[in-house]
Amino acid sequence: MWELRWAAEPKGKTIKRLDPSLPARSIQKKYDNLPRNLAGLLAQLRTQHCSIGAYKIRFNLSSTDRCPCGARETVYHILMDCPEDTLVVLRQKLRQIIGKAFGSLEVMLGGVESQSNQQNQKRKRKRLNASQLKAVLEFANESGRFRIS
């Protein structure tokens, strides 16, 4: 019954789009296996409620949603696209660790690749292991773009 109410609830669109398999115990296990600061960072990234331009402008905390590079500052932009030199170097290291999962925000933030993103729907759905997820969170932390406690 709870799962039906969750699916019908209009709130939480961002997280539902990120991981349509929710609610799932596998996500709880990911949080449980992380240090508190990285678990908090994961929650911020998954909900898009973090100290970046897109969030700040939405809540009138800033007059711009622009990244220093000029693009709209979003979680996706910072993790995948921003050409800032330090991020490019960190991103290369991250790509080596997570391989083909790089490029799918759903997978990189602990979800599963949506069926519409898969070329072969019979293929096993991608999911990061604990060390790969931790590497994504360490990248986000080292980027200095997300504030964590």
Side-chain angles (χ1 to χ4, degrees):
M1 184 177 225
W2 184 89
E3 289 177 9
L4 293 174
R5 284 197 319 229
W6 166 257
E9 175 64 44
K11 293 181 180 179
K13 290 178 190 173
T14 301
I15 195 78
K16 288 176 187 175
R17 202 171 33 246
L18 182 67
D19 193 351
S21 67
L22 290 176
R25 292 180 201 261
S26 61
I27 294 300
Q28 182 63 45
K29 289 179 186 176
K30 290 185 187 308
Y31 282 99
D32 289 346
N33 292 325
L34 291 170
R36 184 180 175 142
N37 66 332
L38 294 182
L41 178 58
L42 178 59
Q44 290 175 7
L45 295 173
R46 288 175 60 88
T47 61
Q48 314 272 318
H49 284 257
C50 42
S51 185
I52 58 172
Y55 176 82
K56 288 178 181 179
I57 202 160
R58 182 176 165 206
F59 291 97
N60 297 319
L61 301 172
S62 176
S63 60
T64 183
D65 65 352
R66 297 292 155 187
C67 174
C69 75
R72 185 168 182 261
E73 189 177 48
T74 63
V75 171
Y76 183 91
H77 172 72
I78 295 167
L79 293 178
M80 315 284 191
D81 294 333
C82 186
E84 187 178 290
D85 291 343
T86 56
L87 293 178
V88 170
V89 172
L90 289 171
R91 201 175 288 122
Q92 288 173 345
K93 179 181 163 187
L94 178 62
R95 280 179 187 242
Q96 290 175 346
I97 296 169
I98 68 171
K100 292 181 181 181
F102 186 87
S104 170
L105 190 62
E106 297 112 332
V107 176
M108 288 176 67
L109 297 181
V112 294
E113 188 174 37
S114 66
Q115 291 290 337
S116 62
N117 288 345
Q118 292 183 1
Q119 293 174 351
N120 179 358
Q121 292 193 5
K122 292 182 181 179
R123 187 176 69 198
K124 185 177 177 184
R125 291 164 43 146
K126 293 180 192 172
R127 190 178 289 275
L128 293 185
N129 63 37
S131 64
Q132 291 172 317
L133 179 61
K134 191 171 182 182
V136 172
L137 296 173
E138 287 173 352
F139 167 89
N141 189 27
E142 290 173 17
S143 76
R145 301 303 260 307
F146 306 99
R147 189 178 320 146
I148 65 172
S149 54

